[in-house]
Amino acid sequence: MSVDLKKTASNGNENLSISQEQQAQINEVRRLIGPLSGKASTYCSDASIARYLRARNWNVKKAAKMLKQSLKWRAEYKPEEIRWEEVALEAETGKIYRSNYTDKHGRTVLVMRPSRQNSKSTKGQIKYLVYCMENAVLNLPTQQEKMVWLIDFQGFNLSHISVKVTRETAHVLQDHYPERLGLAILYNPPKFFEPFFTMVKPLLEPKTFNKVKFAYSDDQNTKKIMEDLFDMDLLESAFGGNDDTGFDISKYAERMKEDDKKSSSYWTGENSPSPVSNIVSSLDSITLDADSESDNEKVNSSPDPEMEKEIINPNKHIVVNHVASNASADTH
């Protein structure tokens, strides 16, 4: 299959301007949710509501129900209040970290190295993942709302596989961070990982599954695509780049502590936090029609027009997918 790589790469800045009809749907979701204040109000920007609508194919009732559940989760879990000191032990091996560069479309890059797992606690692992997601979103530039995951499988073996953690990860990311993932590149996964990935496919919504792509260092097409996506002088050598500096926990800790200050300013600078009980109470009063989807129902969503164009390598499965990322004024 012949594909124009330059044209495909340009899809990283797909325009997702809101039409009048879509704005009306956003307003209807606001009506269904009801009055909010404090952090809940800050979270529910038009762009945020639009992400929930896109995740539910612009079905207003389903999007409102999904958003309601996210607001309850945020009120109880308080993801924006997690601070570096609480997750520093989980972070010390560099199993997940935000890179100090973006891709060429301005998307935040999260690097993941599952072989460096240093915790048996599902609760601790998920808390650190949530912290990383909040941090990645906080650092998205204006006019960008998606991120890229680079997953390095060097040293990965069967002992690093956990269906429980995978299930909880999928739940948190899909239900509470909808339309945040632009692309996940699985770099040099071992052969035994493919059957596992097939097994967990039912846990993933179709849109999410289609954003996860396999890439191989010995494949010329992969190298070309990585060059189109990243500045190779900044990209880690583990992914074919020229940076072999390595992860430094001390330097990373300083970056995260500074970002914690930014997070606090974002959430408290203009809006005083509402008491959790008030948020939950107001949300519990919302009644949606009985035909709304059940909590565990998967949505067989078809991709948005022009959302993604795949680059196919007939010798290596699908190598990577330049998923169109979206422009949006808000960062949360």
Side-chain angles (χ1 to χ4, degrees), residues 79-96:
E80 77 285 351
E81 294 182 12
I82 302 172
R83 294 295 176 259
W84 173 253
E85 289 76 12
E86 302 173 54
V87 296
L89 289 178
E90 292 280 346
E92 63 184 6
T93 60
K95 62 184 179 184
I96 307 177

Side-chain angles (χ1 to χ4, degrees), residues 136-308:
V137 170
L138 181 72
N139 282 279
L140 284 169
T142 303
Q143 299 302 314
Q144 186 54 265
E145 62 176 10
K146 294 197 176 186
M147 62 189 72
V148 174
W149 292 0
L150 286 178
I151 306 175
D152 176 16
F153 279 87
Q154 183 177 6
F156 185 83
N157 58 51
L158 287 170
S159 70
H160 299 120
I161 290 178
S162 170
V163 175
K164 182 178 181 181
V165 173
T166 301
R167 182 186 297 112
E168 186 65 19
T169 297
H171 162 66
V172 169
L173 296 178
Q174 294 181 148
D175 292 355
H176 304 311
Y177 295 92
E179 297 296 304
R180 285 299 192 186
L181 178 64
L183 174 65
I185 299 176
L186 279 57
Y187 204 82
N188 287 335
K191 290 296 181 182
F192 67 78
F193 182 79
E194 293 184 25
F196 170 75
F197 189 66
T198 300
M199 182 177 68
V200 302
K201 180 179 178 179
L203 301 176
L204 305 177
E205 294 181 1
K207 281 186 179 181
T208 303
F209 183 83
N210 290 333
K211 295 172 185 177
V212 179
K213 301 301 172 185
F214 291 79
Y216 302 89
S217 58
D218 61 353
D219 179 79
Q220 290 299 318
N221 202 26
T222 291
K223 293 178 181 178
K224 172 61 177 173
I225 295 165
M226 297 298 278
E227 290 172 356
D228 285 347
L229 274 174
F230 302 102
D231 181 334
M232 300 305 284
D233 287 334
L234 301 177
L235 184 67
E236 292 93 333
S237 56
F239 302 105
N242 300 324
D243 182 10
D244 57 3
T245 304
F247 178 75
D248 186 321
I249 184 61
S250 298
K251 292 180 180 179
Y252 192 68
E254 292 305 311
R255 284 176 60 200
M256 294 303 101
K257 289 174 184 177
E258 288 301 311
D259 281 356
D260 284 354
K261 296 175 185 177
K262 288 165 53 179
S263 176
S264 179
S265 298
Y266 175 82
W267 290 104
T268 62
E270 297 182 358
N271 298 283
S272 299
S274 295
V276 172
S277 58
N278 290 347
I279 297 175
V280 174
S281 175
S282 66
L283 290 173
D284 283 340
S285 66
I286 301 170
T287 302
L288 299 181
D289 290 350
D291 62 353
S292 293
E293 66 170 345
S294 65
D295 292 349
N296 298 318
E297 180 182 351
K298 295 297 181 187
V299 178
N300 292 320
S301 53
S302 57
D304 296 333
E306 300 182 5
M307 184 184 79
E308 52 185 339

Side-chain angles (χ1 to χ4, degrees), residues 307-319:
M307 184 184 79
E308 52 185 339
K309 295 181 180 178
E310 294 177 344
I311 297 174
I312 306 296
N313 177 352
N315 299 318
K316 286 283 187 181
H317 308 290
I318 296 175
V319 176

Side-chain angles (χ1 to χ4, degrees), residues 33-58:
I33 293 296
L36 296 170
S37 61
K39 293 178 183 178
S41 177
T42 299
Y43 183 76
C44 290
S45 64
D46 280 3
S48 183
I49 294 174
R51 283 192 296 275
Y52 282 82
L53 281 162
R54 289 199 299 272
R56 290 298 177 259
N57 288 327
W58 294 90

Side-chain angles (χ1 to χ4, degrees), residues 3-172:
V3 179
D4 185 336
L5 288 170
K6 184 177 293 187
K7 180 179 180 180
T8 304
S10 69
N11 290 335
N13 291 318
E14 179 189 6
N15 180 19
L16 286 180
S17 58
I18 301 299
S19 67
Q20 287 186 339
E21 179 183 0
Q22 290 169 339
Q23 184 63 55
Q25 291 170 300
I26 291 171
N27 296 341
E28 179 63 10
V29 169
R30 287 192 182 281
R31 188 189 69 79
L32 288 171
I33 293 296
L36 296 170
S37 61
K39 293 178 183 178
S41 177
T42 299
Y43 183 76
C44 290
S45 64
D46 280 3
S48 183
I49 294 174
R51 283 192 296 275
Y52 282 82
L53 281 162
R54 289 199 299 272
R56 290 298 177 259
N57 288 327
W58 294 90
N59 182 304
V60 169
K61 291 179 181 178
K62 291 181 178 181
K65 181 174 182 178
M66 184 186 186
L67 178 54
K68 171 189 171 183
Q69 291 167 341
S70 280
L71 288 172
K72 284 187 176 182
W73 174 78
R74 295 188 70 88
E76 295 164 3
Y77 198 87
K78 298 181 176 65
E80 77 285 351
E81 294 182 12
I82 302 172
R83 294 295 176 259
W84 173 253
E85 289 76 12
E86 302 173 54
V87 296
L89 289 178
E90 292 280 346
E92 63 184 6
T93 60
K95 62 184 179 184
I96 307 177
Y97 61 89
R98 179 175 62 81
S99 69
N100 56 8
Y101 58 88
T102 64
D103 78 346
K104 290 183 178 180
H105 307 303
R107 295 180 288 193
T108 301
V109 177
L110 282 183
V111 175
M112 303 181 178
R113 292 191 163 94
S115 67
R116 297 188 183 182
Q117 182 57 257
N118 62 336
S119 171
K120 297 292 185 181
S121 169
T122 299
K123 182 178 179 181
Q125 291 177 49
I126 296 301
K127 186 174 185 177
Y128 181 50
L129 175 67
V130 168
Y131 175 83
C132 291
M133 290 297 295
E134 290 288 309
N135 180 270
V137 170
L138 181 72
N139 282 279
L140 284 169
T142 303
Q143 299 302 314
Q144 186 54 265
E145 62 176 10
K146 294 197 176 186
M147 62 189 72
V148 174
W149 292 0
L150 286 178
I151 306 175
D152 176 16
F153 279 87
Q154 183 177 6
F156 185 83
N157 58 51
L158 287 170
S159 70
H160 299 120
I161 290 178
S162 170
V163 175
K164 182 178 181 181
V165 173
T166 301
R167 182 186 297 112
E168 186 65 19
T169 297
H171 162 66
V172 169

